[in-house]
Amino acid sequence: MDFSLLGPIAVTTGSAELSLGPAKRRSVLALLLLQPNTTVPLEQLIDSLWEDEPPEHARTVVQGHVSRLRATLAEGGAEAYGVELTTHGSAYLLRLPEELIDAHRFGELVTLARPEAAPADAVPLLREALGLWRGPALTGTVTSPPFAAAAHALEERRLTAVEALGRAYGALGEHEQAAAILYSAAVNHPLREGLIAGLMRALFRTGRQSDALEWFHRTRRLLSEELGVDPGERLRGAYEEILRAEAAGKVRKAAAPPSGGAGASVAEPAGGPRSTTGGARPAAEEPPSAAPGDTGTPAPGGARAGATNGPGQRAGAAPRLLPRPPARFLGREHQLTTLTQVLTDRTTGESPLAVVAGPAGVGKTACAVQWAHLHAGAFPDGQLFADLRGFGEGDEAPPAEILRDFLLALGTPPERVPRSAEAASALFRSLVAERRLLVVLDNARSSAQVRPLLPGGPHCATVVTSRSRLDGLVATDWARPVGLQALGHEEGAALLGAMLGPDRVAEDPAAARELVDLCDGLPLALRAAAAQLTARPRWRLARLAAALHDERRRLALLSAEDTGVAAALRMSVARLSADDARLLSALATTSDGHLNASAAAALAGYDQERMQDGLDRLAEMHLVDEEATDVYTISTLTQLFARDTRGESGEAGPSGTGDGGTKSG
């Protein structure tokens, strides 16, 4: 069992990661891990979890999170690892071997390393220590001052280790490697004078004296403009050391970078310096070359250099925030091909944007994530992912929250992340302007929620998934729509075979086709059906099909814990206005799911114009489908959900699903 603080808060057992739940629960675990084998008072947890005045029920909330953590750890086999979460009066104690915590292992490795006395031994120790970082420390916790301070302290320890690794390489005479390591951190921490001083010395010793001096002058300007101070002793000392060496004629001739390397020396090859789409860069902005096979040390979010040398050239490791590839993903070849055509089109000079849209449960996220993993190599500067929570239980994710996560992943220090969404959006676009980066924005509610999160660089690409068509993005940002429809019989049966094993499906192909029909071809429903059959290995497919014919039970059977068609539809309906929710409920009374605007108007008691507007909104949300001109269809599962909601409300329409949403269904 491993506990991770140096990146997203996580607990893994073997290759499996435990589900830790919402941010506050992860924050409780993080605070206990920051003080292992020490009792942590309940009041300290409350003060850390709420930046403002905590609610009256804060104690109950914390107690609930501790209880769920205890159960989660027990399910992961905590006892076998010597892990125990106990209550001591009004305090909690997480007892565990401290070597299970990545931050503890990091500290031990750094302590063992002696960069000046034993540099050859220090290099592998420090590289192993820095390799434990998977992103900004304490990612996924709440944004209160105590957690910000703890994350800042861990980041300071990381930067100290980076500086030590640079010194160790320097002591071994491996100045190219030292420059590559230090450059990454210097770009992301341009006011850290000790870091800049080390980089200056490393650059000078590789023959890049003009680059080294440019770093000094740029840092001096930043210190003056942002802090109103002059360079300190370490920075001045490095500058004067280089000037004295130059005067004494001790300048080393610049070495050519390795073939295909990330950097360039001061002595450029014939033809002049490399240029980007914005023209030639100043020499100090060119990252130093790394030794073959040396990937450098990742910055907090995995971004090493903060910029690429130009289109298609990486400066080093980059943030990889994609969720794991979807399990048993099948089909969707046409949509994947379309995404490839849209997102790898570099002929327009613009940042390509695709919107994967479709009804709840059709597999939009799986399709987008599958494509992102297949084409990750086309985006060497990183892949960012965010769930915008547009159709979730709580509020949608504000752009400022997502931008903060992106900026931290790209190596921006927490204290330098702008507070306003507008400023954060501008900084984000600036940071990625010359990168080849993929951004996946999942579960968007509206175009307005997406726009601040779009990168501006011509080498970036963005995939958005939504139950809405997001016509606004098509109109203003030239987004290319990629629609997902329900699976056909062959694809649906193949998915069941992948989940259950081909033999079980092959023994009754007719029942498999029937299950696809009863699930409306929705991958989410088919996966839930497969879960039911997996739990009942003696059931034949025909038995589940017979059970699903009972419309009163179908939605319940097509659910698995917190996953299912009813839960997904509930989130769609909760976003409707009261009038549109009542219209959907009225449409659910049709016998075959087919109707035109006139018939719908008669059912709902609306006039023709009002009815047409309502149908258009429902079609835009993929709750009905415009099969042909003035011919609308509503899927069987959507009908069943709307009927259930109508029955539970006890009214002519699902008024409980109006402006505030419903908790029923």
Side-chain angles (χ1 to χ4, degrees):
M1 180 172 279
D2 291 309
F3 295 83
S4 299
L5 295 173
L6 307 180
I9 303 301
V11 181
T12 55
T13 56
S15 60
E17 182 172 324
L18 302 184
S19 177
L20 296 178
K24 281 190 168 56
R25 190 173 305 155
R26 292 172 181 270
S27 302
V28 169
L29 176 61
L31 199 59
L32 294 171
L33 289 170
L34 288 167
Q35 303 172 74
N37 301 309
T38 304
T39 54
V40 180
L42 177 60
E43 292 304 319
Q44 182 183 351
L45 287 166
I46 292 173
D47 291 342
S48 300
L49 290 179
W50 282 274
E51 185 169 356
D52 301 316
E53 186 69 18
E56 292 182 0
H57 61 287
R59 295 176 67 90
T60 303
V61 171
V62 173
Q63 290 166 352
H65 285 314
V66 171
S67 178
R68 285 300 308 148
L69 282 173
R70 186 180 290 121
T72 299
L73 293 173
E75 291 167 4
E79 184 177 357
Y81 296 92
V83 178
E84 184 181 22
L85 176 53
T86 59
T87 303
H88 294 262
S90 60
Y92 299 101
L93 170 67
L94 181 58
R95 185 178 291 109
L96 78 167
E98 292 188 15
E99 59 267 23
L100 299 181
I101 307 172
D102 60 358
H104 178 80
R105 298 197 301 275
F106 171 83
E108 284 192 329
L109 289 165
V110 172
T111 301
L112 289 171
R114 296 178 297 154
E116 285 79 18
D121 294 331
V123 166
L125 288 171
L126 290 168
R127 287 185 63 84
E128 182 179 351
L130 291 164
L132 294 172
W133 285 75
R134 300 174 300 110
L138 307 184
T139 297
T141 59
V142 298
T143 56
S144 65
F147 283 102
H152 178 73
L154 287 169
E155 172 63 4
E156 284 293 310
R157 293 171 60 191
R158 190 191 73 83
L159 291 173
T160 300
V162 170
E163 294 177 9
L165 181 56
R167 295 197 306 274
Y169 273 131
L172 294 172
E174 297 175 1
H175 303 300
E176 289 284 355
Q177 289 90 333
I181 292 295
L182 296 169
Y183 179 89
S184 312
V187 167
N188 292 304
H189 300 273
L191 298 178
R192 191 177 178 94
E193 295 186 52
L195 195 60
I196 308 300
L199 175 60
M200 288 170 58
R201 290 187 173 95
L203 288 171
F204 174 75
R205 289 162 185 164
T206 62
R208 300 180 64 182
Q209 59 272 15
S210 60
D211 287 359
L213 296 175
E214 174 59 22
W215 268 101
F216 173 82
H217 293 302
R218 183 167 62 177
T219 307
R220 183 186 61 184
R221 288 193 299 271
L222 284 173
L223 289 169
S224 176
E225 292 168 1
E226 297 197 24
L227 302 179
V229 299
D230 293 323
E233 181 179 349
R234 285 182 295 177
L235 198 59
R236 288 198 315 271
Y239 179 66
E240 292 165 1
E241 178 182 323
I242 292 171
L243 292 181
R244 287 195 299 269
E246 279 193 310
K250 296 180 181 178
V251 179
R252 172 187 164 188
K253 184 178 179 181
S259 174
S265 66
V266 176
E268 292 289 345
R274 288 192 307 270
S275 64
T276 68
T277 54
R281 298 184 186 211
E285 291 188 13
E286 291 285 347
S289 58
D294 183 5
T295 60
T297 304
R304 189 166 66 99
T308 59
N309 295 327
Q313 294 176 334
R314 298 183 69 191
R320 313 289 185 194
L321 303 189
L322 293 176
R324 66 178 184 173
R328 301 292 194 272
F329 184 90
L330 295 172
R332 304 302 194 192
E333 285 84 2
H334 174 70
Q335 287 80 9
L336 293 173
T337 299
T338 302
L339 284 172
T340 301
Q341 294 169 347
V342 170
L343 296 172
T344 58
D345 182 5
R346 305 296 177 192
T347 62
T348 64
E350 299 173 335
S351 178
L353 169 62
V355 175
V356 179
V362 80
K364 301 177 292 295
T365 301
C367 183
V369 172
Q370 177 75 1
W371 186 91
H373 277 285
L374 289 174
H375 295 270
F379 302 95
D381 294 315
Q383 303 93 43
L384 301 176
F385 178 92
D387 179 3
L388 304 190
R389 307 196 300 271
F391 297 90
E393 290 282 359
D395 296 333
E396 63 186 64
E401 174 187 316
I402 302 301
L403 286 165
R404 177 179 175 81
D405 290 345
F406 282 178
L407 290 171
L408 292 174
L410 291 167
T412 305
E415 67 275 10
R416 295 179 66 84
V417 175
R419 291 183 178 273
S420 73
E422 293 79 7
S425 180
L427 177 59
F428 173 59
R429 290 192 299 273
S430 175
L431 283 177
V432 303
E434 295 299 331
R435 300 193 190 201
R436 297 194 65 172
L437 188 79
L438 176 65
V439 180
V440 181
L441 302 173
D442 186 40
N443 199 15
R445 179 179 180 182
S446 66
S447 298
Q449 187 188 19
V450 170
R451 286 193 186 98
L453 309 176
L454 297 177
H459 312 295
C460 297
T462 307
V463 189
V464 182
T465 75
S466 180
R467 300 180 192 182
S468 168
R469 291 196 306 257
L470 301 185
D471 293 338
L473 284 183
V474 177
T476 63
D477 297 272
W478 204 53
R480 303 290 294 278
V482 179
L484 282 188
Q485 304 297 328
L487 299 176
H489 287 122
E490 186 175 337
E491 287 182 319
L495 178 58
L496 287 173
M499 298 287 290
L500 299 169
D503 293 343
R504 197 169 178 189
V505 173
E507 71 181 7
D508 197 347
R513 291 173 61 89
E514 188 177 8
L515 282 176
V516 174
D517 288 334
L518 290 166
C519 292
D520 283 345
L522 290 177
L524 178 63
L526 287 165
R527 288 175 180 273
Q532 295 283 358
L533 289 165
T534 299
R536 299 166 175 83
R538 292 186 176 84
W539 276 30
R540 296 174 61 86
L541 271 62
R543 181 169 178 180
L544 178 60
L548 290 174
H549 274 290
D550 184 348
E551 293 185 347
R552 296 168 300 177
R553 300 179 59 205
R554 190 179 304 174
L555 289 174
L557 287 170
L558 295 180
S559 298
E561 292 192 85
D562 58 345
T563 300
V565 178
L569 286 170
R570 186 180 303 116
M571 295 304 100
S572 290
V573 174
R575 298 299 192 228
L576 298 177
S577 68
D579 283 349
D580 288 349
R582 281 193 291 270
L583 171 58
L584 181 68
S585 182
L587 300 181
T589 62
T590 61
S591 58
D592 62 354
H594 287 72
L595 69 164
N596 57 28
S598 298
L603 281 170
Y606 291 175
D607 61 60
Q608 189 80 16
E609 183 177 350
R610 183 183 177 193
M611 170 56 58
Q612 189 63 59
D613 290 344
L615 285 171
D616 287 344
R617 287 190 294 270
L618 292 178
E620 201 268 339
M621 290 285 292
H622 293 95
L623 288 166
V624 300
D625 181 48
E626 190 173 9
E627 191 175 74
T629 302
D630 197 30
V631 177
Y632 294 86
T633 61
I634 179 171
S635 71
T636 303
L637 293 177
T638 304
Q639 280 185 291
L640 293 177
F641 177 81
R643 289 174 190 170
D644 286 351
T645 308
R646 176 189 178 101
E648 291 179 9
S649 70
E651 300 179 7
S655 58
T657 68
D659 299 330
T662 179
K663 296 182 180 179
S664 64

